[in-house]
Amino acid sequence: RSQYSVLENPSILRCLLDSAFSTGKTTLLVEKATMLAEDGQFVLFFLCHYSTKYPSLLFLDLLRKFEKFKGKVKLVPIFMDEAKDAMSQMKKVIEQHKDHHFMVDELMNHSASSSKFAESIKELSELVSPNCFLWIGITGMNDRQRWPKAFQDLQAKTNNVVWQNPELRYPFRNC
């Protein structure tokens, strides 16, 4: 229940979810998108994945979940490989939909530096309206010692925007 408190706070416009596997990152992103759509707002939900040939089971499940919102939530696949930069793909879409909220799931840090990754996230944030949500679920965060410093850098570099990084500790799948 405590992990759901993140959803209930309307002031959390920028949120990084970087916890361990199965602690509810995707669930919180989907719930937030659902709440916004039910309120009549538009959401783009980016799902990062590596296969360009076949959609993932998660992608298919999210398509099914979002179809009832009749265009209020649009699922956008972001194909991540060495030739394609996920951040630049998302930036192009965000620039065309400034009045939307954005959820990003399964984003992975391919940079050698956590600070460079934080800088890329800051650049995404600057494209999103300050009144719109940008929530990012980060996968594969195995460098927990360096990430807090990068998160502090992100806070310092992002003007007038407060980022939240809630701690998600408990397994959350299928709750």
Side-chain angles (χ1 to χ4, degrees), residues 6 11 13 15 34-36 56-57 80 90 110 121 131 138 143 168:
V6 174
S11 68
L13 294 171
C15 187
T34 298
M35 291 168 65
L36 292 166
S56 67
L57 291 177
M80 298 174 60
M90 287 186 282
H110 285 288
I121 291 171
N131 300 320
I138 302 171
D143 189 359
L168 306 178

mmCIF file of all heavy atoms in Angstrom, residues 6 11 13 15 34-36 56-57 80 90 110 121 131 138 143 168:
data_model
loop_
_atom_site.group_PDB
_atom_site.id
_atom_site.type_symbol
_atom_site.label_atom_id
_atom_site.label_comp_id
_atom_site.label_asym_id
_atom_site.label_seq_id
_atom_site.Cartn_x
_atom_site.Cartn_y
_atom_site.Cartn_z
ATOM 1 N N VAL A 6 2.695 6.995 -3.857
ATOM 2 C CA VAL A 6 3.331 7.785 -4.917
ATOM 3 C C VAL A 6 2.276 8.242 -5.917
ATOM 4 O O VAL A 6 2.295 9.378 -6.391
ATOM 5 C CB VAL A 6 4.428 6.954 -5.627
ATOM 6 C CG1 VAL A 6 5.004 7.696 -6.810
ATOM 7 C CG2 VAL A 6 5.517 6.569 -4.649
ATOM 8 N N SER A 11 1.601 16.216 -6.752
ATOM 9 C CA SER A 11 2.742 17.115 -6.944
ATOM 10 C C SER A 11 3.975 16.399 -7.495
ATOM 11 O O SER A 11 4.963 17.041 -7.829
ATOM 12 C CB SER A 11 3.086 17.818 -5.628
ATOM 13 O OG SER A 11 3.591 16.884 -4.697
ATOM 14 N N LEU A 13 5.462 15.378 -10.270
ATOM 15 C CA LEU A 13 5.409 15.490 -11.729
ATOM 16 C C LEU A 13 6.589 14.804 -12.404
ATOM 17 O O LEU A 13 6.491 14.390 -13.560
ATOM 18 C CB LEU A 13 5.353 16.961 -12.142
ATOM 19 C CG LEU A 13 4.081 17.688 -11.725
ATOM 20 C CD1 LEU A 13 4.211 19.181 -11.991
ATOM 21 C CD2 LEU A 13 2.883 17.116 -12.445
ATOM 22 N N CYS A 15 9.332 11.710 -11.792
ATOM 23 C CA CYS A 15 9.560 10.572 -10.909
ATOM 24 C C CYS A 15 10.458 9.547 -11.595
ATOM 25 O O CYS A 15 10.221 9.180 -12.746
ATOM 26 C CB CYS A 15 8.213 9.950 -10.547
ATOM 27 S SG CYS A 15 8.308 8.653 -9.315
ATOM 28 N N THR A 34 -3.348 5.271 -16.335
ATOM 29 C CA THR A 34 -4.777 4.980 -16.247
ATOM 30 C C THR A 34 -5.525 6.099 -15.528
ATOM 31 O O THR A 34 -6.576 6.556 -15.987
ATOM 32 C CB THR A 34 -4.992 3.635 -15.516
ATOM 33 O OG1 THR A 34 -4.374 2.596 -16.275
ATOM 34 C CG2 THR A 34 -6.450 3.315 -15.325
ATOM 35 N N MET A 35 -4.977 6.560 -14.418
ATOM 36 C CA MET A 35 -5.615 7.647 -13.662
ATOM 37 C C MET A 35 -5.731 8.910 -14.519
ATOM 38 O O MET A 35 -6.778 9.572 -14.526
ATOM 39 C CB MET A 35 -4.808 7.948 -12.396
ATOM 40 C CG MET A 35 -4.862 6.852 -11.350
ATOM 41 S SD MET A 35 -3.646 7.059 -10.018
ATOM 42 C CE MET A 35 -4.221 8.569 -9.258
ATOM 43 N N LEU A 36 -4.677 9.240 -15.237
ATOM 44 C CA LEU A 36 -4.690 10.431 -16.081
ATOM 45 C C LEU A 36 -5.702 10.293 -17.218
ATOM 46 O O LEU A 36 -6.447 11.222 -17.520
ATOM 47 C CB LEU A 36 -3.281 10.704 -16.625
ATOM 48 C CG LEU A 36 -2.255 11.132 -15.574
ATOM 49 C CD1 LEU A 36 -0.838 11.038 -16.130
ATOM 50 C CD2 LEU A 36 -2.550 12.532 -15.067
ATOM 51 N N SER A 56 6.909 -7.614 -27.449
ATOM 52 C CA SER A 56 7.051 -8.364 -26.206
ATOM 53 C C SER A 56 5.670 -8.680 -25.635
ATOM 54 O O SER A 56 4.665 -8.044 -25.989
ATOM 55 C CB SER A 56 7.862 -7.553 -25.192
ATOM 56 O OG SER A 56 7.129 -6.414 -24.791
ATOM 57 N N LEU A 57 5.634 -9.637 -24.724
ATOM 58 C CA LEU A 57 4.373 -9.956 -24.050
ATOM 59 C C LEU A 57 3.890 -8.756 -23.237
ATOM 60 O O LEU A 57 2.688 -8.497 -23.173
ATOM 61 C CB LEU A 57 4.537 -11.178 -23.156
ATOM 62 C CG LEU A 57 4.747 -12.498 -23.892
ATOM 63 C CD1 LEU A 57 4.977 -13.629 -22.888
ATOM 64 C CD2 LEU A 57 3.574 -12.814 -24.807
ATOM 65 N N MET A 80 15.525 -0.364 -28.686
ATOM 66 C CA MET A 80 16.859 -0.036 -28.193
ATOM 67 C C MET A 80 17.863 -1.033 -28.743
ATOM 68 O O MET A 80 17.743 -2.227 -28.538
ATOM 69 C CB MET A 80 16.870 -0.075 -26.665
ATOM 70 C CG MET A 80 15.931 0.932 -26.047
ATOM 71 S SD MET A 80 15.807 0.791 -24.260
ATOM 72 C CE MET A 80 17.468 1.057 -23.753
ATOM 73 N N MET A 90 12.682 9.181 -28.184
ATOM 74 C CA MET A 90 11.658 9.757 -27.310
ATOM 75 C C MET A 90 11.566 11.267 -27.476
ATOM 76 O O MET A 90 10.473 11.833 -27.477
ATOM 77 C CB MET A 90 11.922 9.373 -25.854
ATOM 78 C CG MET A 90 11.606 7.915 -25.585
ATOM 79 S SD MET A 90 11.751 7.458 -23.855
ATOM 80 C CE MET A 90 13.519 7.303 -23.689
ATOM 81 N N HIS A 110 22.602 2.809 -21.111
ATOM 82 C CA HIS A 110 23.651 2.254 -21.966
ATOM 83 C C HIS A 110 24.922 3.089 -21.897
ATOM 84 O O HIS A 110 25.932 2.727 -22.482
ATOM 85 C CB HIS A 110 23.168 2.183 -23.424
ATOM 86 C CG HIS A 110 22.210 1.081 -23.652
ATOM 87 N ND1 HIS A 110 22.575 -0.232 -23.670
ATOM 88 C CD2 HIS A 110 20.874 1.087 -23.848
ATOM 89 C CE1 HIS A 110 21.527 -1.001 -23.888
ATOM 90 N NE2 HIS A 110 20.473 -0.210 -23.990
ATOM 91 N N ILE A 121 18.294 12.310 -19.168
ATOM 92 C CA ILE A 121 16.975 12.385 -18.538
ATOM 93 C C ILE A 121 16.578 13.850 -18.341
ATOM 94 O O ILE A 121 15.442 14.241 -18.565
ATOM 95 C CB ILE A 121 16.959 11.600 -17.208
ATOM 96 C CG1 ILE A 121 17.073 10.106 -17.510
ATOM 97 C CG2 ILE A 121 15.702 11.904 -16.412
ATOM 98 C CD1 ILE A 121 17.288 9.242 -16.293
ATOM 99 N N ASN A 131 3.845 21.331 -16.310
ATOM 100 C CA ASN A 131 2.576 20.919 -15.698
ATOM 101 C C ASN A 131 2.199 19.487 -16.040
ATOM 102 O O ASN A 131 1.140 19.018 -15.629
ATOM 103 C CB ASN A 131 1.462 21.858 -16.149
ATOM 104 C CG ASN A 131 1.742 23.283 -15.747
ATOM 105 O OD1 ASN A 131 2.221 23.531 -14.649
ATOM 106 N ND2 ASN A 131 1.471 24.210 -16.634
ATOM 107 N N ILE A 138 13.317 2.705 -14.667
ATOM 108 C CA ILE A 138 14.652 2.345 -15.148
ATOM 109 C C ILE A 138 14.945 0.897 -14.781
ATOM 110 O O ILE A 138 14.791 0.490 -13.635
ATOM 111 C CB ILE A 138 15.717 3.277 -14.545
ATOM 112 C CG1 ILE A 138 15.390 4.728 -14.903
ATOM 113 C CG2 ILE A 138 17.113 2.892 -15.024
ATOM 114 C CD1 ILE A 138 16.243 5.740 -14.197
ATOM 115 N N ASP A 143 24.383 -0.267 -10.493
ATOM 116 C CA ASP A 143 25.427 0.563 -9.906
ATOM 117 C C ASP A 143 24.794 1.502 -8.885
ATOM 118 O O ASP A 143 24.702 2.694 -9.086
ATOM 119 C CB ASP A 143 26.144 1.348 -11.011
ATOM 120 C CG ASP A 143 27.380 2.050 -10.485
ATOM 121 O OD1 ASP A 143 27.658 1.941 -9.263
ATOM 122 O OD2 ASP A 143 28.054 2.719 -11.276
ATOM 123 N N LEU A 168 11.171 1.674 -3.677
ATOM 124 C CA LEU A 168 10.222 0.571 -3.834
ATOM 125 C C LEU A 168 10.937 -0.692 -3.370
ATOM 126 O O LEU A 168 11.853 -1.164 -4.018
ATOM 127 C CB LEU A 168 9.786 0.437 -5.300
ATOM 128 C CG LEU A 168 9.230 1.693 -5.958
ATOM 129 C CD1 LEU A 168 8.895 1.414 -7.411
ATOM 130 C CD2 LEU A 168 8.019 2.208 -5.223
#
